[in-house]
Amino acid sequence: YDFILIDAPCTSTGTMRRNPDINWRWSAEKIQEIVTTQYNLLRNSMDLVSRGGVVAYATCSLLAVENNLQFEKFLAEHIGLLEEVPPCAANGNPFSAKENRLSAGSRVPLNFTKYQGDAFFLALAKRL
């Protein structure tokens, strides 16, 4: 495929504003299970994405273990096969680094608190 979107199952901690009970739903063991599932989805995407294709990884989590740390592990285990896609701010992306000061490279934590919405994470990688 030229484009794969992994809308990964996650802890949904980015929705705490409207679902405050999320804090009590997750144990360390359950979080580890979901992190393993997320990584398996990322790893399996490598068999499906074509050369030059893009893998987009998204969660509605605020946890680094589900976001930056997860994506960094994926990139590190596929050195020479993947590169991060630069942010699209120049192309009119409303979620630019200016709006999301915590963003790093193409990894964009989308924090919608000022819009009364949820928080999300998006990272993009291109297969070489």
Side-chain angles (χ1 to χ4, degrees):
Y1 295 97
D2 293 331
F3 184 84
I4 295 175
L5 170 62
I6 300 171
D7 182 8
C10 66
T11 57
S12 301
T13 53
T15 67
M16 280 194 283
R17 181 188 59 79
R18 60 185 167 90
N19 297 310
D21 61 310
I22 284 174
N23 286 331
W24 296 279
R25 289 186 197 171
W26 298 100
S27 65
E29 294 81 19
K30 292 280 188 186
I31 291 172
Q32 186 54 52
E33 285 176 28
I34 208 146
V35 166
T36 299
T37 298
Q38 292 166 344
Y39 193 76
N40 288 337
L41 289 168
L42 278 166
R43 190 185 65 229
N44 291 338
S45 73
M46 288 300 293
D47 294 333
L48 301 172
V49 68
S50 62
R51 290 187 189 275
V54 173
V55 174
Y57 174 73
T59 71
C60 58
S61 173
L62 297 172
L63 303 179
V65 70
E66 294 183 87
N67 297 334
N68 271 321
L69 296 177
Q70 186 76 284
F71 200 69
E72 287 170 9
K73 177 182 174 185
F74 178 57
L75 292 173
E77 291 186 7
H78 294 90
I79 292 175
L81 295 174
L82 290 172
E83 69 179 357
E84 284 192 75
V85 176
C88 299
N91 298 328
N93 182 343
F95 312 118
S96 66
K98 179 181 176 187
E99 185 67 33
N100 300 283
R101 289 180 175 82
L102 299 176
S103 65
S106 62
R107 298 175 210 151
V108 183
L110 308 178
N111 190 339
F112 290 130
T113 53
K114 87 179 212 184
Y115 307 110
Q116 300 301 308
D118 296 333
F120 295 87
F121 175 84
L122 173 65
L124 306 170
K126 181 178 180 180
R127 179 150 187 191
L128 302 175

